[in-house]
Amino acid sequence: ARPAITIKVVSEDVFVHDEGTVAYQFGHYEEMIRSAGSPESRYRNHFMARWKKATGEEWVIDRFYATPMPQSN
């Protein structure tokens, strides 16, 4: 069986430049992963994504960086 994954993304800021063709998104996300027979795992990360405008209204992620957030008790 495949693990169940839940992802919650919070975007904190977005900067658009290069005449509206590139955007940088900053925020954090939390993943909850549940596999049969295993305890639930929780991962919290800060992220920065660089988006590029592809064609028309479509945007694609060109780069994605994540760093772990401190563990909470």
Short mmCIF file of all heavy atoms in Angstrom, two decimals:
data_model
loop_
_atom_site.label_atom_id
_atom_site.label_comp_id
_atom_site.label_asym_id
_atom_site.label_seq_id
_atom_site.Cartn_x
_atom_site.Cartn_y
_atom_site.Cartn_z
N ALA A 1 0.84 -1.19 0.00
CA ALA A 1 0.00 0.00 0.00
C ALA A 1 0.88 1.25 0.00
O ALA A 1 1.94 1.28 0.63
CB ALA A 1 -0.90 0.00 1.22
N ARG A 2 0.43 2.26 -0.68
CA ARG A 2 1.16 3.52 -0.75
C ARG A 2 0.89 4.34 0.50
O ARG A 2 -0.20 4.30 1.05
CB ARG A 2 0.72 4.30 -1.98
CG ARG A 2 0.96 3.54 -3.27
CD ARG A 2 0.49 4.35 -4.41
NE ARG A 2 1.68 5.00 -4.96
CZ ARG A 2 1.66 5.74 -6.03
NH1 ARG A 2 0.55 5.98 -6.66
NH2 ARG A 2 2.78 6.28 -6.49
N PRO A 3 1.88 5.11 0.95
CA PRO A 3 1.66 5.95 2.14
C PRO A 3 0.70 7.09 1.81
O PRO A 3 0.62 7.56 0.67
CB PRO A 3 3.05 6.48 2.46
CG PRO A 3 3.83 6.38 1.20
CD PRO A 3 3.24 5.20 0.44
N ALA A 4 -0.04 7.52 2.84
CA ALA A 4 -0.92 8.68 2.69
C ALA A 4 -0.10 9.93 3.02
O ALA A 4 0.60 9.97 4.03
CB ALA A 4 -2.10 8.57 3.62
N ILE A 5 -0.15 10.91 2.16
CA ILE A 5 0.64 12.13 2.35
C ILE A 5 -0.30 13.33 2.34
O ILE A 5 -1.12 13.48 1.44
CB ILE A 5 1.71 12.29 1.25
CG1 ILE A 5 2.65 11.10 1.25
CG2 ILE A 5 2.46 13.60 1.43
CD1 ILE A 5 3.62 11.08 0.10
N THR A 6 -0.15 14.18 3.35
CA THR A 6 -0.89 15.44 3.42
C THR A 6 0.14 16.56 3.45
O THR A 6 1.09 16.49 4.22
CB THR A 6 -1.74 15.49 4.70
OG1 THR A 6 -2.62 14.38 4.72
CG2 THR A 6 -2.55 16.78 4.76
N ILE A 7 -0.05 17.57 2.61
CA ILE A 7 0.89 18.69 2.58
C ILE A 7 0.09 19.99 2.76
O ILE A 7 -0.89 20.22 2.06
CB ILE A 7 1.68 18.75 1.26
CG1 ILE A 7 2.50 17.47 1.08
CG2 ILE A 7 2.57 19.97 1.23
CD1 ILE A 7 3.23 17.38 -0.23
N LYS A 8 0.55 20.82 3.69
CA LYS A 8 -0.04 22.14 3.91
C LYS A 8 1.03 23.17 3.58
O LYS A 8 2.11 23.16 4.18
CB LYS A 8 -0.49 22.30 5.36
CG LYS A 8 -1.06 23.67 5.66
CD LYS A 8 -1.42 23.81 7.12
CE LYS A 8 -1.88 25.23 7.40
NZ LYS A 8 -2.13 25.41 8.83
N VAL A 9 0.77 24.04 2.60
CA VAL A 9 1.74 25.05 2.16
C VAL A 9 1.23 26.43 2.55
O VAL A 9 0.06 26.76 2.32
CB VAL A 9 1.94 24.98 0.62
CG1 VAL A 9 2.90 26.07 0.17
CG2 VAL A 9 2.44 23.61 0.22
N VAL A 10 2.11 27.23 3.14
CA VAL A 10 1.79 28.61 3.50
C VAL A 10 2.76 29.53 2.77
O VAL A 10 3.97 29.48 3.00
CB VAL A 10 1.89 28.84 5.02
CG1 VAL A 10 1.62 30.30 5.36
CG2 VAL A 10 0.93 27.92 5.77
N SER A 11 2.23 30.33 1.86
CA SER A 11 3.04 31.29 1.12
C SER A 11 3.11 32.58 1.94
O SER A 11 2.08 33.13 2.31
CB SER A 11 2.41 31.56 -0.25
OG SER A 11 3.22 32.44 -0.99
N GLU A 12 4.34 33.05 2.22
CA GLU A 12 4.50 34.24 3.05
C GLU A 12 4.80 35.49 2.23
O GLU A 12 4.46 36.59 2.64
CB GLU A 12 5.61 34.00 4.08
CG GLU A 12 5.22 32.89 5.06
CD GLU A 12 6.37 32.41 5.92
OE1 GLU A 12 7.49 32.96 5.82
OE2 GLU A 12 6.15 31.46 6.68
N ASP A 13 5.44 35.32 1.07
CA ASP A 13 5.76 36.48 0.23
C ASP A 13 6.09 36.02 -1.18
O ASP A 13 6.59 34.91 -1.37
CB ASP A 13 6.96 37.24 0.80
CG ASP A 13 6.84 38.74 0.61
OD1 ASP A 13 6.05 39.18 -0.26
OD2 ASP A 13 7.54 39.48 1.33
N VAL A 14 5.79 36.86 -2.16
CA VAL A 14 6.10 36.59 -3.56
C VAL A 14 6.64 37.87 -4.19
O VAL A 14 6.06 38.94 -4.00
CB VAL A 14 4.85 36.11 -4.35
CG1 VAL A 14 5.19 35.93 -5.82
CG2 VAL A 14 4.30 34.83 -3.76
N PHE A 15 7.77 37.75 -4.90
CA PHE A 15 8.35 38.88 -5.62
C PHE A 15 8.40 38.52 -7.10
O PHE A 15 8.91 37.46 -7.46
CB PHE A 15 9.78 39.16 -5.14
CG PHE A 15 9.88 39.50 -3.68
CD1 PHE A 15 10.16 38.51 -2.74
CD2 PHE A 15 9.67 40.80 -3.25
CE1 PHE A 15 10.24 38.82 -1.40
CE2 PHE A 15 9.75 41.11 -1.90
CZ PHE A 15 10.04 40.12 -0.97
N VAL A 16 7.88 39.40 -7.94
CA VAL A 16 7.88 39.17 -9.39
C VAL A 16 8.83 40.19 -10.02
O VAL A 16 8.84 41.36 -9.64
CB VAL A 16 6.46 39.34 -9.98
CG1 VAL A 16 6.47 39.11 -11.48
CG2 VAL A 16 5.50 38.36 -9.30
N HIS A 17 9.64 39.73 -10.97
CA HIS A 17 10.56 40.65 -11.66
C HIS A 17 10.82 40.16 -13.08
O HIS A 17 10.14 39.26 -13.56
CB HIS A 17 11.86 40.83 -10.85
CG HIS A 17 12.70 39.59 -10.76
ND1 HIS A 17 13.75 39.36 -11.58
CD2 HIS A 17 12.63 38.52 -9.94
CE1 HIS A 17 14.31 38.20 -11.26
NE2 HIS A 17 13.64 37.67 -10.28
N ASP A 18 11.82 40.72 -13.74
CA ASP A 18 12.14 40.43 -15.14
C ASP A 18 10.91 40.58 -16.03
O ASP A 18 10.52 39.66 -16.75
CB ASP A 18 12.77 39.04 -15.31
CG ASP A 18 14.22 38.98 -14.86
OD1 ASP A 18 14.80 40.05 -14.62
OD2 ASP A 18 14.76 37.87 -14.75
N GLU A 19 10.29 41.75 -15.91
CA GLU A 19 9.11 42.08 -16.71
C GLU A 19 7.98 41.07 -16.54
O GLU A 19 7.25 40.74 -17.47
CB GLU A 19 9.49 42.25 -18.18
CG GLU A 19 10.49 43.37 -18.39
CD GLU A 19 10.92 43.53 -19.83
OE1 GLU A 19 10.45 42.78 -20.71
OE2 GLU A 19 11.73 44.43 -20.09
N GLY A 20 7.86 40.53 -15.31
CA GLY A 20 6.76 39.61 -15.01
C GLY A 20 6.98 38.18 -15.48
O GLY A 20 6.03 37.41 -15.58
N THR A 21 8.24 37.79 -15.76
CA THR A 21 8.49 36.43 -16.26
C THR A 21 9.11 35.51 -15.21
O THR A 21 9.21 34.31 -15.44
CB THR A 21 9.41 36.46 -17.49
OG1 THR A 21 10.68 37.03 -17.12
CG2 THR A 21 8.79 37.27 -18.62
N VAL A 22 9.55 36.07 -14.08
CA VAL A 22 10.17 35.28 -13.00
C VAL A 22 9.57 35.72 -11.68
O VAL A 22 9.37 36.91 -11.45
CB VAL A 22 11.71 35.46 -12.98
CG1 VAL A 22 12.33 34.71 -11.80
CG2 VAL A 22 12.32 35.00 -14.28
N ALA A 23 9.29 34.75 -10.80
CA ALA A 23 8.77 35.07 -9.47
C ALA A 23 9.48 34.23 -8.42
O ALA A 23 9.82 33.07 -8.68
CB ALA A 23 7.27 34.81 -9.41
N TYR A 24 9.71 34.82 -7.26
CA TYR A 24 10.28 34.11 -6.11
C TYR A 24 9.22 34.03 -5.03
O TYR A 24 8.63 35.04 -4.65
CB TYR A 24 11.52 34.83 -5.58
CG TYR A 24 12.71 34.70 -6.51
CD1 TYR A 24 12.94 35.64 -7.50
CD2 TYR A 24 13.58 33.62 -6.40
CE1 TYR A 24 14.01 35.52 -8.37
CE2 TYR A 24 14.65 33.49 -7.27
CZ TYR A 24 14.86 34.44 -8.24
OH TYR A 24 15.92 34.31 -9.10
N GLN A 25 8.97 32.83 -4.55
CA GLN A 25 7.96 32.58 -3.53
C GLN A 25 8.67 32.07 -2.27
O GLN A 25 9.48 31.16 -2.34
CB GLN A 25 6.96 31.54 -4.03
CG GLN A 25 5.91 31.16 -3.02
CD GLN A 25 5.04 30.01 -3.50
OE1 GLN A 25 5.44 29.25 -4.38
NE2 GLN A 25 3.87 29.90 -2.93
N PHE A 26 8.33 32.67 -1.12
CA PHE A 26 8.89 32.27 0.16
C PHE A 26 7.78 31.82 1.08
O PHE A 26 6.69 32.39 1.07
CB PHE A 26 9.63 33.46 0.80
CG PHE A 26 10.79 33.95 -0.01
CD1 PHE A 26 10.60 34.90 -1.01
CD2 PHE A 26 12.06 33.46 0.20
CE1 PHE A 26 11.66 35.35 -1.78
CE2 PHE A 26 13.13 33.90 -0.56
CZ PHE A 26 12.93 34.85 -1.55
N GLY A 27 8.05 30.80 1.89
CA GLY A 27 7.04 30.34 2.82
C GLY A 27 7.50 29.13 3.61
O GLY A 27 8.70 28.89 3.77
N HIS A 28 6.52 28.36 4.09
CA HIS A 28 6.84 27.12 4.80
C HIS A 28 5.77 26.08 4.48
O HIS A 28 4.69 26.41 3.99
CB HIS A 28 6.97 27.35 6.31
CG HIS A 28 5.72 27.83 6.97
ND1 HIS A 28 5.39 29.16 7.05
CD2 HIS A 28 4.73 27.16 7.59
CE1 HIS A 28 4.25 29.30 7.70
NE2 HIS A 28 3.82 28.09 8.03
N TYR A 29 6.11 24.82 4.72
CA TYR A 29 5.14 23.76 4.50
C TYR A 29 5.33 22.65 5.51
O TYR A 29 6.38 22.53 6.16
CB TYR A 29 5.23 23.20 3.07
CG TYR A 29 6.50 22.47 2.73
CD1 TYR A 29 6.58 21.08 2.85
CD2 TYR A 29 7.61 23.15 2.28
CE1 TYR A 29 7.75 20.40 2.53
CE2 TYR A 29 8.78 22.48 1.95
CZ TYR A 29 8.84 21.11 2.07
OH TYR A 29 10.00 20.44 1.76
N GLU A 30 4.28 21.86 5.68
CA GLU A 30 4.29 20.74 6.60
C GLU A 30 3.78 19.51 5.88
O GLU A 30 2.75 19.57 5.20
CB GLU A 30 3.40 21.05 7.80
CG GLU A 30 3.30 19.93 8.80
CD GLU A 30 2.48 20.33 10.00
OE1 GLU A 30 2.96 21.15 10.81
OE2 GLU A 30 1.35 19.83 10.12
N GLU A 31 4.52 18.41 5.97
CA GLU A 31 4.12 17.14 5.37
C GLU A 31 3.77 16.16 6.49
O GLU A 31 4.52 16.05 7.46
CB GLU A 31 5.25 16.51 4.57
CG GLU A 31 5.66 17.24 3.34
CD GLU A 31 6.83 16.55 2.68
OE1 GLU A 31 7.97 16.81 3.10
OE2 GLU A 31 6.60 15.75 1.75
N MET A 32 2.68 15.46 6.34
CA MET A 32 2.30 14.38 7.25
C MET A 32 2.26 13.11 6.40
O MET A 32 1.53 13.04 5.41
CB MET A 32 0.93 14.64 7.87
CG MET A 32 0.85 15.95 8.64
SD MET A 32 1.93 16.00 10.08
CE MET A 32 0.99 15.03 11.21
N ILE A 33 3.06 12.12 6.79
CA ILE A 33 3.16 10.88 6.02
C ILE A 33 2.73 9.72 6.91
O ILE A 33 3.24 9.55 8.02
CB ILE A 33 4.59 10.66 5.49
CG1 ILE A 33 5.00 11.85 4.62
CG2 ILE A 33 4.69 9.33 4.73
CD1 ILE A 33 6.43 11.84 4.17
N ARG A 34 1.75 8.94 6.41
CA ARG A 34 1.25 7.78 7.14
C ARG A 34 1.40 6.54 6.29
O ARG A 34 0.86 6.47 5.20
CB ARG A 34 -0.23 7.99 7.51
CG ARG A 34 -0.45 9.06 8.54
CD ARG A 34 -1.91 9.31 8.84
NE ARG A 34 -2.67 9.83 7.70
CZ ARG A 34 -2.64 11.09 7.27
NH1 ARG A 34 -1.86 11.97 7.86
NH2 ARG A 34 -3.38 11.48 6.26
N SER A 35 2.13 5.57 6.80
CA SER A 35 2.29 4.28 6.13
C SER A 35 1.68 3.19 7.02
O SER A 35 1.75 3.28 8.24
CB SER A 35 3.77 3.96 5.89
OG SER A 35 4.35 4.90 5.03
N ALA A 36 1.14 2.18 6.40
CA ALA A 36 0.56 1.08 7.16
C ALA A 36 1.62 0.46 8.06
O ALA A 36 2.73 0.17 7.63
CB ALA A 36 -0.02 0.03 6.21
N GLY A 37 1.28 0.29 9.35
CA GLY A 37 2.20 -0.34 10.28
C GLY A 37 3.30 0.56 10.82
O GLY A 37 4.16 0.11 11.55
N SER A 38 3.30 1.84 10.45
CA SER A 38 4.33 2.77 10.92
C SER A 38 3.66 3.98 11.57
O SER A 38 2.55 4.36 11.17
CB SER A 38 5.18 3.28 9.76
OG SER A 38 5.87 2.21 9.17
N PRO A 39 4.33 4.60 12.53
CA PRO A 39 3.76 5.82 13.12
C PRO A 39 3.78 6.95 12.10
O PRO A 39 4.57 6.95 11.17
CB PRO A 39 4.68 6.12 14.31
CG PRO A 39 5.95 5.38 14.04
CD PRO A 39 5.59 4.22 13.15
N GLU A 40 2.91 7.91 12.30
CA GLU A 40 2.84 9.08 11.42
C GLU A 40 4.11 9.91 11.55
O GLU A 40 4.62 10.11 12.65
CB GLU A 40 1.62 9.92 11.80
CG GLU A 40 1.38 11.08 10.91
CD GLU A 40 0.09 11.80 11.27
OE1 GLU A 40 0.09 12.54 12.27
OE2 GLU A 40 -0.91 11.57 10.57
N SER A 41 4.65 10.37 10.44
CA SER A 41 5.84 11.22 10.44
C SER A 41 5.44 12.62 10.01
O SER A 41 4.65 12.80 9.09
CB SER A 41 6.88 10.69 9.45
OG SER A 41 7.30 9.41 9.83
N ARG A 42 6.01 13.63 10.68
CA ARG A 42 5.71 15.03 10.36
C ARG A 42 7.02 15.74 10.03
O ARG A 42 8.00 15.65 10.77
CB ARG A 42 5.05 15.69 11.55
CG ARG A 42 4.68 17.14 11.29
CD ARG A 42 3.95 17.69 12.48
NE ARG A 42 4.66 18.87 12.93
CZ ARG A 42 4.36 19.54 14.01
NH1 ARG A 42 3.41 19.14 14.80
NH2 ARG A 42 5.04 20.61 14.33
N TYR A 43 7.03 16.44 8.91
CA TYR A 43 8.19 17.21 8.47
C TYR A 43 7.76 18.65 8.24
O TYR A 43 6.76 18.90 7.56
CB TYR A 43 8.77 16.63 7.17
CG TYR A 43 9.17 15.18 7.31
CD1 TYR A 43 8.29 14.17 6.96
CD2 TYR A 43 10.42 14.84 7.82
CE1 TYR A 43 8.65 12.84 7.10
CE2 TYR A 43 10.78 13.51 7.96
CZ TYR A 43 9.89 12.52 7.60
OH TYR A 43 10.24 11.21 7.75
N ARG A 44 8.53 19.60 8.80
CA ARG A 44 8.23 21.02 8.64
C ARG A 44 9.45 21.69 8.03
O ARG A 44 10.57 21.50 8.51
CB ARG A 44 7.90 21.64 10.00
CG ARG A 44 6.66 21.02 10.62
CD ARG A 44 6.41 21.47 12.06
NE ARG A 44 6.15 22.90 12.10
CZ ARG A 44 6.77 23.75 12.91
NH1 ARG A 44 7.69 23.34 13.75
NH2 ARG A 44 6.47 25.03 12.89
N ASN A 45 9.25 22.47 6.97
CA ASN A 45 10.36 23.10 6.25
C ASN A 45 10.00 24.52 5.81
O ASN A 45 8.85 24.81 5.50
CB ASN A 45 10.70 22.30 4.99
CG ASN A 45 11.23 20.93 5.31
OD1 ASN A 45 12.31 20.79 5.84
ND2 ASN A 45 10.45 19.91 4.99
N HIS A 46 11.01 25.38 5.79
CA HIS A 46 10.91 26.67 5.10
C HIS A 46 11.25 26.39 3.64
O HIS A 46 11.99 25.45 3.34
CB HIS A 46 11.93 27.67 5.65
CG HIS A 46 11.70 28.06 7.06
ND1 HIS A 46 10.70 28.92 7.45
CD2 HIS A 46 12.35 27.70 8.20
CE1 HIS A 46 10.74 29.09 8.75
NE2 HIS A 46 11.73 28.35 9.24
N PHE A 47 10.73 27.21 2.72
CA PHE A 47 11.08 26.99 1.32
C PHE A 47 11.19 28.30 0.55
O PHE A 47 10.67 29.33 0.96
CB PHE A 47 10.05 26.09 0.62
CG PHE A 47 8.76 26.77 0.29
CD1 PHE A 47 8.58 27.41 -0.93
CD2 PHE A 47 7.71 26.79 1.19
CE1 PHE A 47 7.39 28.05 -1.24
CE2 PHE A 47 6.51 27.42 0.89
CZ PHE A 47 6.36 28.05 -0.33
N MET A 48 11.90 28.20 -0.57
CA MET A 48 11.96 29.27 -1.55
C MET A 48 11.82 28.59 -2.91
O MET A 48 12.52 27.63 -3.20
CB MET A 48 13.29 30.02 -1.48
CG MET A 48 13.37 31.29 -2.34
SD MET A 48 13.62 31.08 -4.11
CE MET A 48 15.21 30.33 -4.19
N ALA A 49 10.87 29.06 -3.70
CA ALA A 49 10.66 28.51 -5.04
C ALA A 49 10.84 29.62 -6.06
O ALA A 49 10.36 30.73 -5.86
CB ALA A 49 9.26 27.91 -5.17
N ARG A 50 11.56 29.31 -7.14
CA ARG A 50 11.67 30.25 -8.25
C ARG A 50 10.77 29.73 -9.37
O ARG A 50 10.92 28.60 -9.83
CB ARG A 50 13.11 30.37 -8.75
CG ARG A 50 13.20 31.40 -9.89
CD ARG A 50 14.61 31.70 -10.25
NE ARG A 50 15.15 30.64 -11.11
CZ ARG A 50 16.35 30.68 -11.65
NH1 ARG A 50 17.16 31.68 -11.41
NH2 ARG A 50 16.77 29.70 -12.43
N TRP A 51 9.82 30.54 -9.74
CA TRP A 51 8.87 30.20 -10.80
C TRP A 51 9.25 30.95 -12.07
O TRP A 51 9.67 32.11 -12.01
CB TRP A 51 7.46 30.63 -10.40
CG TRP A 51 6.89 29.90 -9.24
CD1 TRP A 51 7.15 30.14 -7.90
CD2 TRP A 51 5.96 28.84 -9.27
NE1 TRP A 51 6.43 29.28 -7.13
CE2 TRP A 51 5.68 28.47 -7.94
CE3 TRP A 51 5.32 28.15 -10.30
CZ2 TRP A 51 4.81 27.45 -7.62
CZ3 TRP A 51 4.44 27.14 -9.98
CH2 TRP A 51 4.19 26.79 -8.66
N LYS A 52 9.08 30.30 -13.22
CA LYS A 52 9.29 30.96 -14.52
C LYS A 52 8.00 30.85 -15.33
O LYS A 52 7.36 29.80 -15.33
CB LYS A 52 10.43 30.30 -15.29
CG LYS A 52 11.80 30.61 -14.73
CD LYS A 52 12.86 30.00 -15.59
CE LYS A 52 13.96 31.00 -15.82
NZ LYS A 52 15.02 30.45 -16.67
N LYS A 53 7.68 31.93 -16.00
CA LYS A 53 6.50 31.92 -16.86
C LYS A 53 6.82 31.09 -18.10
O LYS A 53 7.81 31.34 -18.78
CB LYS A 53 6.09 33.33 -17.23
CG LYS A 53 4.70 33.40 -17.80
CD LYS A 53 4.18 34.81 -17.76
CE LYS A 53 2.69 34.78 -18.06
NZ LYS A 53 2.13 36.10 -17.99
N ALA A 54 5.99 30.11 -18.37
CA ALA A 54 6.23 29.21 -19.52
C ALA A 54 5.54 29.80 -20.74
O ALA A 54 6.11 30.60 -21.46
CB ALA A 54 5.73 27.81 -19.20
N THR A 55 4.30 29.43 -20.97
CA THR A 55 3.54 29.95 -22.10
C THR A 55 2.18 30.42 -21.60
O THR A 55 1.61 29.82 -20.70
CB THR A 55 3.32 28.86 -23.17
OG1 THR A 55 2.68 27.75 -22.57
CG2 THR A 55 4.64 28.42 -23.77
N GLY A 56 1.69 31.48 -22.19
CA GLY A 56 0.38 31.99 -21.79
C GLY A 56 0.34 32.32 -20.31
O GLY A 56 1.12 33.11 -19.82
N GLU A 57 -0.58 31.68 -19.59
CA GLU A 57 -0.73 31.90 -18.16
C GLU A 57 -0.06 30.82 -17.31
O GLU A 57 -0.20 30.80 -16.11
CB GLU A 57 -2.22 31.98 -17.80
CG GLU A 57 -2.95 33.13 -18.46
CD GLU A 57 -2.37 34.48 -18.06
OE1 GLU A 57 -2.13 34.71 -16.86
OE2 GLU A 57 -2.13 35.31 -18.96
N GLU A 58 0.66 29.91 -17.93
CA GLU A 58 1.28 28.79 -17.21
C GLU A 58 2.61 29.17 -16.60
O GLU A 58 3.46 29.78 -17.25
CB GLU A 58 1.47 27.60 -18.16
CG GLU A 58 2.01 26.37 -17.48
CD GLU A 58 2.11 25.20 -18.43
OE1 GLU A 58 1.18 25.00 -19.23
OE2 GLU A 58 3.14 24.49 -18.38
N TRP A 59 2.80 28.81 -15.31
CA TRP A 59 4.06 29.00 -14.60
C TRP A 59 4.60 27.64 -14.19
O TRP A 59 3.83 26.74 -13.87
CB TRP A 59 3.82 29.84 -13.34
CG TRP A 59 3.54 31.28 -13.62
CD1 TRP A 59 2.35 31.81 -14.02
CD2 TRP A 59 4.45 32.36 -13.51
NE1 TRP A 59 2.47 33.17 -14.17
CE2 TRP A 59 3.75 33.53 -13.86
CE3 TRP A 59 5.79 32.46 -13.15
CZ2 TRP A 59 4.35 34.78 -13.85
CZ3 TRP A 59 6.38 33.71 -13.13
CH2 TRP A 59 5.66 34.86 -13.48
N VAL A 60 5.92 27.48 -14.19
CA VAL A 60 6.55 26.23 -13.77
C VAL A 60 7.61 26.54 -12.71
O VAL A 60 8.24 27.61 -12.74
CB VAL A 60 7.19 25.46 -14.94
CG1 VAL A 60 6.13 24.98 -15.92
CG2 VAL A 60 8.22 26.30 -15.65
N ILE A 61 7.82 25.61 -11.78
CA ILE A 61 8.87 25.78 -10.78
C ILE A 61 10.20 25.45 -11.44
O ILE A 61 10.41 24.37 -11.97
CB ILE A 61 8.63 24.87 -9.56
CG1 ILE A 61 7.37 25.33 -8.82
CG2 ILE A 61 9.84 24.92 -8.62
CD1 ILE A 61 7.00 24.45 -7.64
N ASP A 62 11.09 26.42 -11.41
CA ASP A 62 12.42 26.29 -12.01
C ASP A 62 13.44 25.83 -10.96
O ASP A 62 14.35 25.09 -11.27
CB ASP A 62 12.82 27.64 -12.61
CG ASP A 62 14.19 27.62 -13.24
OD1 ASP A 62 14.43 26.76 -14.11
OD2 ASP A 62 15.03 28.47 -12.86
N ARG A 63 13.30 26.29 -9.73
CA ARG A 63 14.18 25.91 -8.62
C ARG A 63 13.33 25.79 -7.36
O ARG A 63 12.36 26.52 -7.19
CB ARG A 63 15.25 26.96 -8.35
CG ARG A 63 16.20 27.21 -9.48
CD ARG A 63 17.33 26.20 -9.47
NE ARG A 63 18.41 26.56 -10.35
CZ ARG A 63 18.44 26.30 -11.64
NH1 ARG A 63 17.43 25.72 -12.22
NH2 ARG A 63 19.48 26.64 -12.37
N PHE A 64 13.72 24.87 -6.46
CA PHE A 64 13.01 24.72 -5.19
C PHE A 64 14.03 24.38 -4.12
O PHE A 64 14.77 23.41 -4.25
CB PHE A 64 11.96 23.61 -5.28
CG PHE A 64 11.09 23.52 -4.05
CD1 PHE A 64 9.96 24.30 -3.95
CD2 PHE A 64 11.42 22.68 -3.00
CE1 PHE A 64 9.15 24.24 -2.83
CE2 PHE A 64 10.63 22.61 -1.87
CZ PHE A 64 9.49 23.39 -1.79
N TYR A 65 14.09 25.20 -3.08
CA TYR A 65 15.02 24.99 -1.97
C TYR A 65 14.22 24.89 -0.68
O TYR A 65 13.28 25.65 -0.48
CB TYR A 65 16.00 26.17 -1.85
CG TYR A 65 16.80 26.41 -3.10
CD1 TYR A 65 16.39 27.37 -4.03
CD2 TYR A 65 17.95 25.68 -3.36
CE1 TYR A 65 17.12 27.59 -5.19
CE2 TYR A 65 18.68 25.90 -4.52
CZ TYR A 65 18.26 26.85 -5.42
OH TYR A 65 18.97 27.06 -6.57
N ALA A 66 14.60 23.95 0.19
CA ALA A 66 13.92 23.79 1.47
C ALA A 66 14.93 23.57 2.57
O ALA A 66 15.97 22.94 2.36
CB ALA A 66 12.95 22.62 1.41
N THR A 67 14.65 24.12 3.75
CA THR A 67 15.47 23.90 4.93
C THR A 67 14.56 23.52 6.08
O THR A 67 13.47 24.08 6.23
CB THR A 67 16.27 25.16 5.32
OG1 THR A 67 15.39 26.24 5.55
CG2 THR A 67 17.27 25.53 4.24
N PRO A 68 14.98 22.56 6.91
CA PRO A 68 14.14 22.11 8.02
C PRO A 68 13.88 23.24 9.03
O PRO A 68 14.76 24.04 9.32
CB PRO A 68 14.94 21.00 8.67
CG PRO A 68 15.96 20.58 7.66
CD PRO A 68 16.22 21.79 6.82
N MET A 69 12.66 23.26 9.54
CA MET A 69 12.32 24.16 10.64
C MET A 69 12.73 23.48 11.95
O MET A 69 12.79 22.24 12.01
CB MET A 69 10.82 24.45 10.64
CG MET A 69 10.35 25.21 9.43
SD MET A 69 8.56 25.42 9.37
CE MET A 69 8.30 26.63 10.64
N PRO A 70 13.00 24.24 12.99
CA PRO A 70 13.34 23.62 14.28
C PRO A 70 12.20 22.71 14.77
O PRO A 70 11.03 22.99 14.51
CB PRO A 70 13.51 24.82 15.22
CG PRO A 70 13.74 25.99 14.33
CD PRO A 70 13.03 25.69 13.05
N GLN A 71 12.57 21.64 15.45
CA GLN A 71 11.58 20.71 16.00
C GLN A 71 10.79 21.43 17.09
O GLN A 71 11.35 22.18 17.89
CB GLN A 71 12.27 19.49 16.62
CG GLN A 71 12.94 18.61 15.62
CD GLN A 71 11.93 17.83 14.77
OE1 GLN A 71 10.81 17.59 15.19
NE2 GLN A 71 12.35 17.44 13.59
N SER A 72 9.47 21.22 17.12
CA SER A 72 8.66 21.78 18.18
C SER A 72 8.31 20.67 19.16
O SER A 72 8.16 19.51 18.78
CB SER A 72 7.39 22.41 17.61
OG SER A 72 6.65 21.45 16.92
N ASN A 73 8.20 21.01 20.42
CA ASN A 73 7.90 19.99 21.44
C ASN A 73 6.43 19.87 21.68
O ASN A 73 5.62 20.62 21.53
CB ASN A 73 8.61 20.33 22.76
CG ASN A 73 10.11 20.27 22.57
OD1 ASN A 73 10.61 19.50 21.76
ND2 ASN A 73 10.82 21.11 23.30
#
